[in-house]
Amino acid sequence: MSIITRFAEEIGILTLIYASFDVHLLCFQRFIRMFAYGQVTIILALFFESLGITEDKTGLFMTSTLLGDVVISFLLTLVADKIGRRKILAAGAILMCMSGVIFSYATNYWVLLIAAIVGVISPSGNEIGPFRAIEESTLAHLTDLKDRPDLYAWYSLLGSLGAAFGTITSGWLVEKLQEDYSWSVLKSYRVIFVLYSIIAIFKFAASVMLSPLTELESIPSEPKPDPASAAERGSSSRPYSGEGDSYAMRPLAKVNESTDSLTANNEDETEEIYEEMNQFSDTQKKRSKWLFWVDYLPQLTPNSRKVVLQLVLLFSLDSFASGIATQSWLSYYFADRFGVKEGALGTLLFVTNLISAASSIVASSISKRLGPIITMVATHMPSSAVLAVLGFPSNKSVAMILLIVRSCTASMDVAPRQAFLSSIVTKEERTGVMGVVNVVRTLAQSAGPGLMGKFASMKMMPIGFLIAGLCKVAYDLGILVSFLGTKLQNN
């Protein structure tokens, strides 16, 4: 085996190359979606500033957007396996396109807020909407356990690359339109939202190109009892065995056991049995009428329920911290405190996202040797500590260096985390669980931007970065204590 081949296997590129066309389409969707999110995140807070909207209202907008995403994502991910994963991904792309169109024309704060809540606009530069949960569940559905760390690493890397190229494209495009073509600040920002809508159209096309193999395989349901055929079933000499019969037909066992010896004396008893069966059937119909929605909820085993609850609590803490230090607020911080222009901001975030993308591949290699839990904690905790002190340097260069240093390990926990989550629940639970986890994370994250908006209005953003960093350190320690040594499963 050549050195090149061994290196390709080590970084997982061969796993991606030999994956199915569906996997390639999912990764392509991830790349272009994060490209669109990266374009928006660098100018979102500055866009509202150009409209004369205060930092408090900007923070409220980000929080409300994330809260709206919680509701839509929760509903769509819960029904994804019932309605169809491809249909949900396509519907999300339509909502994404709609939001971009409205933002490219509207000026009213409340119209923009409604468009962001109902549609898909990322205020943080990170994932938003139902896409990620469904795509990650589908990737796990299409691949074996041994290949998942590699695919999740490349899935994460392509997302980081998309965000990186999105930020640098947005930053320099806006600056060039303003300086070379004398466009107003607001007009140059609106071009970004036009591009956002165009990208959503490509994402819609990729969604409808996915094959039926991406759907959760259907499980044949038991046939419902037919009272009309009860007499025929009762005439059979086969005794009731308890196998292959639905619960609703069990009252017929008494009839089947004594078919040949039925007399006029037990005809009344037989009629009572049929009446009991019909009453049971009527009860089931009433239940299905009022509790139909229960079938759409993820059915968890007791063990999965316990693990998911622990993860939800810890992920919520991490997401709350991420909501405080979003890329939109980071861009605003460097522009407001140090006067950094859009082009330089785009370059800065391009570098940080590029480093994050490269680190994802390194994380995959480390995870193969140390396991997902140790990899998550050992890589994420240093970046958490750097975030805590990010706002204190008064020198622009030092602050930029800290942000770049943080990016070296900030995303290395993503692929191991998703591989771990997908491997501790069954395949039937996976989409629903990932959807619930992502929704709860978004809910927790939604509190962060509003809090940072308050800090920004009081010129106290360094305190926000400190709180975010300490929360992330607590999350890392919680993951280590709670899940070190947990066994993984393939299905």
Side-chain angles (χ1 to χ4, degrees), residues 148-211:
R148 288 176 198 165
D150 288 337
L151 282 181
Y152 280 128
W154 280 96
Y155 178 83
S156 176
L157 179 146
L158 290 171
S160 297
L161 283 177
F165 284 104
T167 54
I168 195 169
T169 300
S170 175
W172 286 108
L173 177 60
V174 166
E175 187 167 324
K176 188 171 185 63
L177 289 175
Q178 293 176 15
E179 293 185 354
D180 295 353
Y181 296 94
S182 300
W183 284 32
S184 67
V185 173
L186 181 59
K187 186 178 180 181
S188 64
Y189 290 160
R190 291 194 187 280
V191 172
I192 303 303
F193 293 109
V194 173
L195 295 176
Y196 187 86
S197 298
I198 295 174
I199 292 172
I201 295 174
F202 282 97
K203 189 197 176 310
F204 174 83
S207 298
V208 299
M209 290 173 63
L210 292 169
S211 77

Side-chain angles (χ1 to χ4, degrees), residues 12-278:
I13 185 64
L14 292 181
T15 303
L16 178 65
I17 292 174
Y18 292 118
S20 66
F21 182 63
D22 288 323
V23 171
H24 295 160
L25 279 177
L26 291 171
C27 290
F28 171 73
Q29 289 187 56
R30 164 81 166 174
F31 176 83
I32 62 173
R33 183 173 66 253
M34 293 305 296
F35 183 93
Y37 290 168
Q39 281 189 312
V40 170
T41 190
I42 191 175
I43 57 101
L44 187 61
L46 299 173
F47 170 71
F48 283 111
E49 185 182 40
S50 68
L51 291 174
I53 296 172
T54 64
E55 292 94 338
D56 286 343
K57 280 193 173 182
T58 301
L60 175 63
F61 172 89
M62 295 181 184
T63 293
S64 301
T65 299
L66 292 171
L67 287 174
D69 174 64
V70 167
V71 177
I72 293 177
S73 296
F74 183 71
L75 294 176
L76 292 180
T77 52
L78 283 184
V79 302
D81 287 339
K82 297 283 185 179
I83 296 177
R85 295 170 177 173
R86 291 171 295 172
K87 292 180 181 178
I88 298 300
L89 291 175
I94 293 173
L95 293 176
M96 183 177 169
C97 181
M98 179 198 71
S99 298
V101 170
I102 294 176
F103 267 73
S104 63
Y105 289 101
T107 57
N108 183 273
Y109 175 80
W110 300 108
V111 171
L112 295 171
L113 180 59
I114 293 173
I117 292 176
V118 177
V120 180
I121 288 287
S122 175
S124 61
N126 298 321
E127 280 287 8
I128 193 171
F131 308 117
R132 183 172 182 172
I134 297 174
E135 289 174 355
E136 288 176 344
S137 177
T138 305
L139 285 174
H141 176 72
L142 295 171
T143 57
D144 292 329
L145 176 63
K146 62 182 179 63
D147 294 328
R148 288 176 198 165
D150 288 337
L151 282 181
Y152 280 128
W154 280 96
Y155 178 83
S156 176
L157 179 146
L158 290 171
S160 297
L161 283 177
F165 284 104
T167 54
I168 195 169
T169 300
S170 175
W172 286 108
L173 177 60
V174 166
E175 187 167 324
K176 188 171 185 63
L177 289 175
Q178 293 176 15
E179 293 185 354
D180 295 353
Y181 296 94
S182 300
W183 284 32
S184 67
V185 173
L186 181 59
K187 186 178 180 181
S188 64
Y189 290 160
R190 291 194 187 280
V191 172
I192 303 303
F193 293 109
V194 173
L195 295 176
Y196 187 86
S197 298
I198 295 174
I199 292 172
I201 295 174
F202 282 97
K203 189 197 176 310
F204 174 83
S207 298
V208 299
M209 290 173 63
L210 292 169
S211 77
L213 294 176
T214 58
E215 307 290 355
L216 181 67
E217 63 269 24
S218 59
I219 301 175
S221 58
E222 293 182 355
K224 295 182 179 180
D226 184 8
S229 62
E232 182 180 348
R233 292 173 62 90
S235 63
S236 172
S237 59
R238 179 181 64 84
Y240 174 76
S241 63
E243 298 178 358
D245 294 298
S246 67
Y247 179 78
M249 294 301 295
R250 290 182 185 179
L252 292 177
K254 298 178 182 179
V255 180
N256 292 336
E257 290 174 353
S258 56
T259 302
D260 297 334
S261 61
L262 281 175
T263 63
N265 294 332
N266 61 18
E267 287 181 358
D268 293 339
E269 179 183 354
T270 304
E271 292 178 0
E272 291 177 2
I273 293 173
Y274 283 115
E275 183 178 354
E276 178 184 350
M277 184 189 69
N278 290 332

Side-chain angles (χ1 to χ4, degrees), residues 26 91 155 166 169 245 263 266 284 329 358 383 387 417 438 441 457 467 474:
L26 291 171
Y155 178 83
T169 300
D245 294 298
T263 63
N266 61 18
Q284 290 297 92
W329 278 128
S383 69
L387 176 61
R417 181 180 65 206
N438 282 349
R441 290 185 63 196
S457 65
I467 294 174

Side-chain angles (χ1 to χ4, degrees), residues 405-424:
V405 169
R406 175 178 178 260
S407 69
C408 293
T409 61
S411 299
M412 290 181 72
D413 70 312
V414 175
R417 181 180 65 206
Q418 297 310 116
F420 175 73
L421 178 59
S422 70
S423 302
I424 58 174

Side-chain angles (χ1 to χ4, degrees), residues 278-296:
N278 290 332
Q279 289 177 353
F280 179 84
S281 179
D282 291 340
T283 301
Q284 290 297 92
K285 289 179 180 178
K286 291 179 180 178
R287 177 189 179 276
S288 63
K289 179 180 179 181
W290 296 105
L291 299 179
F292 66 93
W293 54 271
V294 174
D295 295 331
Y296 290 94

Side-chain angles (χ1 to χ4, degrees), residues 391-430:
F392 293 107
S394 56
N395 182 275
K396 177 179 67 175
S397 299
V398 174
M400 287 183 170
I401 290 173
L402 284 177
L403 185 63
I404 293 172
V405 169
R406 175 178 178 260
S407 69
C408 293
T409 61
S411 299
M412 290 181 72
D413 70 312
V414 175
R417 181 180 65 206
Q418 297 310 116
F420 175 73
L421 178 59
S422 70
S423 302
I424 58 174
V425 295
T426 66
K427 61 182 180 180
E428 292 81 9
E429 300 169 334
R430 199 172 286 140

